[in-house]
Amino acid sequence: MENITRRKFIQASAVLAAAHSLLPKSALAASTGYTLPSLPYDYTDLEPFIDAETMKLHHDKHHQGYIDRLNEQVSKLPALKGLSLESIVREISKYTEAVRNNAGGHYNHSFFWTTMAPKGKGGEPSAELKAKIDSDFGSIEMMKNLVNGAALTRFGSGWGWLVLKKDKKLSVLSTPYQDSPIMDVVAGGTPLIAIDVWEHAYYLKYQNRRGEYLTNWWKVVNWNEINKRYSAAL
Ligand code: MN3
């Protein structure tokens, strides 16, 4: 009897953990080493806004690089074994800079791929999210301008974000390197939108024109996924 109750509890906890995770399941497990989550579209599907060569290098080489270096850290640091990626990232102040850069890199890229969808397939903001954006920023356009402004003025490499803060207000921020809003050292809130502004994300097509990349990035934004993240974060 106790065993059955305990098993049910464990199952329920697993379901809860899965339901609350912001990442695809393939990005989560540490026990056999982290693996690269597949893109939910083809390399060419974000053309012409994000070119196929950039997508291939960014996903297969850069993202894979964060995963390889994270796995190397996990093999060296027993404290990391068996932890979920999200729990490592949330409590990042406990770990080394190498863990911060590479766990952050794996987390942020896994999140970034699903923040995009081929043009015409990303849907629209839900009525609920649109009302919230209108109320907190004035309009969708104002929100986009603020996110782009934060991403454009991030000096060097980093990310632009739309987050839902603890007080349930939407907010815009940028982070350096591979820092994430969910890290305890950032405490930015629950991420809804991430835009990668490392040069590897846009340089082949846009060179120094980060602003043009940002303007075009919104043509492949995946509102369907962002709507789900917002509902889950409430
Ligand atoms: Mn990147």
Side-chain angles (χ1 to χ4, degrees):
M1 189 65 176
E2 250 175 63
N3 270 345
I4 290 167
T5 311
R6 187 173 146 72
R7 199 175 309 138
K8 276 196 178 145
F9 173 76
I10 290 166
Q11 279 168 355
S13 304
V15 168
L16 200 66
H20 281 242
S21 173
L22 297 163
L23 299 185
K25 267 194 200 122
S26 53
L28 299 178
S31 53
T32 54
Y34 293 102
T35 55
L36 185 66
S38 307
L39 289 176
Y41 37 74
D42 288 332
Y43 300 119
T44 54
D45 281 352
L46 307 182
E47 295 259 18
F49 310 109
I50 301 179
D51 60 289
E53 196 184 355
T54 294
M55 286 304 294
K56 191 161 173 44
L57 284 168
H58 198 176
H59 178 262
D60 295 9
K61 304 293 180 195
H62 290 279
H63 189 175
Q64 184 67 58
Y66 294 108
I67 292 168
D68 293 344
R69 291 186 297 268
L70 175 60
N71 285 335
E72 200 184 310
Q73 293 300 313
V74 173
S75 73
K76 285 190 209 158
L77 298 167
L80 294 174
K81 286 231 171 69
L83 293 180
S84 72
L85 177 63
E86 194 164 319
S87 63
I88 294 171
V89 174
R90 284 192 185 281
E91 305 198 314
I92 206 72
S93 62
K94 290 182 178 174
Y95 307 111
T96 61
E97 195 164 321
V99 175
R100 181 166 170 174
N101 290 336
N102 293 300
H106 181 26
Y107 184 90
N108 289 346
H109 286 91
S110 300
F111 188 86
F112 179 57
W113 308 131
T114 52
T115 311
M116 299 184 289
K119 189 170 192 267
K121 302 231 170 114
E124 296 294 331
S126 64
E128 199 183 18
L129 179 55
K130 187 183 177 303
K132 179 66 175 166
I133 290 171
D134 287 347
S135 135
D136 288 359
F137 296 108
S139 68
I140 303 266
E141 279 316 302
M142 297 274 282
M143 180 277 289
K144 288 182 182 176
N145 288 341
L146 286 169
V147 173
N148 285 1
L152 191 63
T153 53
R154 164 52 56 191
F155 183 75
S157 299
W159 293 78
W161 304 89
L162 175 71
V163 298
L164 188 68
K165 291 192 298 179
K166 259 197 183 145
D167 64 4
K168 301 297 176 196
K169 284 264 188 197
L170 292 171
S171 182
V172 161
L173 72 149
S174 77
T175 56
Y177 306 113
Q178 294 299 346
D179 282 0
S180 166
I182 69 163
M183 288 180 172
D184 54 3
V185 292
V186 178
T190 303
L192 302 177
I193 294 175
I195 310 183
D196 190 340
V197 288
W198 283 57
E199 283 187 346
H200 67 225
Y202 64 86
Y203 202 86
L204 288 181
K205 183 178 172 74
Y206 296 97
Q207 292 86 45
N208 61 324
R209 304 186 307 279
R210 188 188 280 190
E212 192 184 326
Y213 158 67
L214 287 165
T215 303
N216 280 344
W217 185 86
W218 292 94
K219 293 172 183 160
V220 293
V221 65
N222 187 1
W223 286 112
N224 295 326
E225 177 65 24
I226 296 157
N227 293 337
K228 278 189 227 160
R229 291 170 182 169
Y230 177 63
S231 304
L234 285 180

